[in-house]
Amino acid sequence: PMGGCLYRWYPVASCWFACCALYFSVSGSHLVLIVACLAMMELFILAGAWNHGEPFSAMAAQRGIARMLICSLTILVSAASLYHVTGTLNLKAISDYSRTHEMLLQLPLAFVAMITLMLTRGNLLFFDFNIAGKGPGLQDSPLYAPYGGWSLALAQITHWIEIGVWIKLVSVFLPFSPWMSFMVSSLLYLACLLLDGFISKAQWKLAARNALIWGGGIAAMNFIWLVVL
C-alpha cells in the first residue's frame, strides 16, 4: 500500500472533525460550521481509502466522492431554504423558529431532503452506494478496507457520531422540544434501519440517482416554491 501505515491515522483526524460537528450541533452553533466539519470528516476517510492503493478501496473512494457531491448539493439548497424562511443559519435559532412558527409546513420538501441525506449517509434503503458493507458494521466495507484494529474501531465510532449529527439536523424541522424532536428523529432512523433488512440493494448508480432526485431535486423544488410564492 502507498504511504506505509500512514493511512491508518486518517480515521483519527476524521473522528476529530466528527466530534467537532457533534459539539457544534448539540450546542446549536452555525450550520456552516457543522457542514464544514462533516465535509472534512468525509475527506479524510476518502483520502485514506484512496491512498491505500487497493483497487476496491479506490473504487469505493470514487463512489464516496460522488455521494459527497450529491450530499453537498442537497445541504446547500436546504440551507438556502432555511435561511430564506428563518433569516439565520444558527441551529438553535432555527430550532426555536420551528417550534413557534411551524417551519415544517413551510419546508416540507426540505425536510424530506434532509431525511434523504440522513439515509444516504447511513447507507439505508434505496440510497445505499454499496461502499459500506452488508451489515451494520464496517468490517466488510471496501471504503474501510485499509483500516483494522483500533483504526477500524475509530472509523466505526466516527460513523455513529456522524449519524447522530444527521439525526440532530433532521430534528430541527420538528415542532417539539429539542429532546423530543431528537427522539422522534431517532425513532425514524431506527425504523428505516429495521426496514433496510427487508429491501434489496440497488446498484450504486441507481442509489446515486435516487439520492440526487430525493435530495437535491426535492430541496431545489422547495426553494423555488419559496422564491416564486
Side-chain angles (χ1 to χ4, degrees), residues 83-95:
Y83 186 80
H84 188 276
V85 170
T86 65
T88 181
L89 288 179
N90 182 275
L91 207 62
K92 186 177 185 303
I94 293 173
S95 182

Side-chain angles (χ1 to χ4, degrees), residues 93-106:
I94 293 173
S95 182
D96 293 339
Y97 181 94
S98 180
R99 291 199 305 274
T100 57
H101 294 79
E102 298 180 345
M103 187 179 71
L104 185 59
L105 298 179
Q106 300 172 282

Side-chain angles (χ1 to χ4, degrees), residues 77 81 84-85 102-112 217-229:
V77 180
S81 299
H84 188 276
V85 170
E102 298 180 345
M103 187 179 71
L104 185 59
L105 298 179
Q106 300 172 282
L107 298 172
L109 299 183
F111 178 63
V112 173
I218 291 292
M221 287 176 60
N222 206 150
F223 182 72
I224 294 172
W225 168 29
L226 290 172
V227 172
V228 172
L229 297 181

Side-chain angles (χ1 to χ4, degrees), residues 54-61 142-143:
E54 203 270 339
F56 286 106
S57 296
M59 179 190 67
L143 184 62

Side-chain angles (χ1 to χ4, degrees), residues 8-222:
R8 290 185 178 273
W9 291 93
Y10 282 91
V12 177
S14 181
C15 188
W16 166 257
F17 281 107
C19 290
C20 290
L22 180 63
Y23 170 77
F24 289 138
S25 61
V26 171
S27 61
S29 297
H30 204 281
L31 184 60
V32 172
L33 288 175
I34 301 171
V35 174
C37 289
L38 290 174
M40 292 301 299
M41 174 208 71
E42 180 71 359
L43 284 174
F44 273 103
I45 290 294
L46 295 177
W50 184 267
N51 290 332
H52 180 54
E54 203 270 339
F56 286 106
S57 296
M59 179 190 67
Q62 292 174 351
R63 294 184 185 181
I65 293 173
R67 182 178 66 174
M68 183 178 178
L69 291 176
I70 293 173
C71 292
S72 298
L73 171 65
T74 303
I75 193 64
L76 178 65
V77 180
S78 298
S81 299
L82 282 169
Y83 186 80
H84 188 276
V85 170
T86 65
T88 181
L89 288 179
N90 182 275
L91 207 62
K92 186 177 185 303
I94 293 173
S95 182
D96 293 339
Y97 181 94
S98 180
R99 291 199 305 274
T100 57
H101 294 79
E102 298 180 345
M103 187 179 71
L104 185 59
L105 298 179
Q106 300 172 282
L107 298 172
L109 299 183
F111 178 63
V112 173
M114 291 301 295
I115 293 176
T116 300
L117 265 178
M118 180 177 68
L119 298 179
T120 301
R121 297 303 309 173
N123 309 297
L124 298 178
L125 302 180
F126 303 106
F127 309 102
D128 186 356
F129 279 61
N130 295 318
I131 58 177
K134 300 178 181 179
L138 304 176
Q139 293 87 349
D140 56 347
S141 166
L143 184 62
Y144 296 89
Y147 313 121
W150 65 267
S151 61
L152 180 60
L154 202 57
Q156 181 71 74
I157 293 173
T158 300
H159 178 68
W160 290 337
I161 294 174
E162 180 196 2
I163 295 303
V165 173
W166 286 114
I167 291 174
K168 174 62 179 178
L169 293 179
V170 169
S171 72
V172 299
F173 285 83
L174 302 176
F176 311 120
S177 64
W179 280 108
M180 180 62 69
S181 297
F182 185 82
M183 288 299 298
V184 173
S185 299
S186 300
L187 290 175
L188 174 62
Y189 182 83
L190 178 61
C192 294
L193 185 63
L194 295 175
L195 184 62
D196 183 65
F198 300 95
I199 293 181
S200 300
K201 299 298 181 182
Q203 293 184 350
W204 81 271
K205 291 183 179 180
L206 179 58
R209 186 178 67 183
N210 292 338
L212 182 60
I213 294 173
W214 290 96
I218 291 292
M221 287 176 60
N222 206 150

